[in-house]
Amino acid sequence: MTVSGHRGRRVRALAVLGAALLTLSVGCQVEDNGAPDGQHPFTGGAPASGPVLAVKIDNVRAARPQTGLDQADLVYVEQVESGLSRLLAVYSGSLPEHIGPVRSAREADLELLEQFGSPALGYSGAQSALLPDIAAAPLYPVAPENAPGAFERRPQRAAPHNLYLDPTAVLAAAPDADPPQDIGFRFGDAPEGGEPTPEYSVGFPNADFSFTWSGQEDRWLIGMDGTAALTEQGDRLTAATVVVQHVLIRPSELQDRWGNVTPYSETVGSGTAQVLRDGQAFQATWERPDAGGGTEFTDPDGERLPFSEGPVWVVLAPAE
């Protein structure tokens, strides 16, 4: 049936208006929610198409120096039992030969990792009560029991701080792991309003981290428990941006074998943060409405706060 006359002109006008609004809506969604084209969503550098691999890494003194931690795109610092810390390192594209020491996963890792789509997770096991949740989570769990050839024990160190993984072999066991996607980070020039900060410290009940600005390296030099954090080669561990994200750390229903309650760091919600970059500290607010989405960091005016290009460390610190 042909539409003609005034009614036809009105229908065509509405159609054009609707198309324009749809185009505007799509454009706004890309501008507001999409990571900029040509940037890696984790580091702001050259984009990578390789799958995402997250690895749970030991961080007590006997586990240091770690292997492959300096090549991570993104590192999360988490509180675990007895007020100690562990690291969740995220890789994509470029991979080290080995990563470790590898340790067990925690319940809070599942919520944290959901923003990456369906990544691979390299870990050394978990409490039996958590295994069904890991199996049901949107990720590809790879542990020694289902990929023994991807892991090895190093005799130079004492167990349990001597388990290492081959990331290429781990990803071969998780061939459908997702590539990098937008997790809310934005990168660009430093905004105004930063406070000159030569050093910043974060404390957990039984773990401490320090970040000291080096203008020569244009990086934050990382310290752990009062000593310089080093690579296996003796170089300093560094980060271009450090985010101190204040989260609710509550007791979970799980315990370790000695009866210590496992803490749960809530990464869905909102709170305050400090973003450290270029030798400055910027006050920020973080927001993550649901586990399937990323975390936005905004300044006091509500604008997205850009990170410096390079590796990012996110410290999930106790809420103030």
Side-chain angles (χ1 to χ4, degrees):
M1 180 176 64
T2 302
V3 179
S4 59
H6 175 73
R7 182 178 174 220
R9 288 193 297 271
R10 181 172 179 270
V11 169
R12 287 193 295 272
L14 288 173
V16 172
L17 177 60
L21 289 174
L22 178 61
T23 302
L24 178 60
S25 173
V26 172
C28 289
Q29 289 174 4
V30 171
E31 181 180 354
D32 291 343
N33 299 321
D37 292 338
Q39 285 189 340
H40 194 298
F42 306 164
T43 67
S49 58
V52 175
L53 168 64
V55 181
K56 200 63 185 285
I57 298 179
D58 201 351
N59 196 40
V60 296
R61 292 181 186 271
R64 303 173 191 154
Q66 292 94 343
T67 300
L69 190 58
D70 55 317
Q71 296 186 53
D73 298 323
L74 171 60
V75 177
Y76 288 96
V77 177
E78 306 169 304
Q79 181 177 325
V80 292
E81 296 84 2
S82 301
L84 297 169
S85 69
R86 283 194 185 164
L87 309 175
L88 185 67
V90 181
Y91 302 81
S92 64
S94 178
L95 297 171
E97 289 187 7
H98 295 92
I99 302 171
V102 182
R103 292 303 299 271
S104 55
R106 294 293 185 274
E107 183 182 7
D109 297 332
L110 306 183
E111 178 179 271
L112 183 60
L113 288 172
E114 195 168 338
Q115 64 188 315
F116 294 92
S118 296
L121 172 62
Y123 68 112
S124 65
Q127 298 174 34
S128 58
L130 185 59
L131 294 178
D133 293 333
I134 293 176
L139 52 80
Y140 295 94
V142 182
E145 54 266 28
N146 62 1
F151 295 81
E152 66 175 14
R153 294 280 181 184
R154 291 189 177 180
Q156 301 91 338
R157 289 193 176 183
H161 316 293
N162 64 345
L163 182 66
Y164 294 77
L165 63 76
D166 175 346
T168 301
V170 169
L171 289 173
D176 296 323
D178 282 347
Q181 64 181 37
D182 180 20
I183 58 169
F185 295 176
R186 296 295 180 268
F187 297 86
D189 296 334
E192 297 181 355
E195 179 73 21
T197 304
E199 184 173 4
Y200 196 101
S201 298
V202 183
F204 294 93
N206 283 307
D208 295 290
F209 291 81
S210 65
F211 304 95
T212 304
W213 178 249
S214 170
Q216 181 177 359
E217 295 196 29
D218 201 27
R219 287 288 189 271
W220 296 96
L221 307 181
I222 300 170
M224 299 178 183
D225 299 326
T227 60
L230 304 176
T231 68
E232 275 193 321
Q233 294 73 35
D235 299 322
R236 289 295 298 267
L237 283 176
T238 65
T241 303
V242 177
V243 180
V244 182
Q245 182 179 347
H246 300 282
V247 302
L248 174 64
I249 302 178
R250 60 169 175 80
S252 74
E253 297 181 359
L254 303 179
Q255 299 179 351
D256 65 14
R257 67 181 67 180
W258 297 280
N260 298 307
V261 175
T262 301
Y264 190 108
S265 296
E266 298 274 7
T267 56
V268 170
S270 61
T272 61
Q274 286 80 41
V275 174
L276 312 180
R277 57 163 298 171
D278 302 304
Q280 302 178 81
F282 296 84
Q283 299 302 315
T285 297
W286 68 269
E287 184 175 11
R288 186 181 176 207
D290 58 80
T295 308
E296 294 185 3
F297 295 90
T298 55
D299 64 20
D301 295 325
E303 299 293 330
R304 300 289 280 274
L305 211 162
F307 297 174
S308 182
E309 180 182 327
V312 177
W313 279 55
V314 178
V315 183
L316 299 175
E320 296 177 324

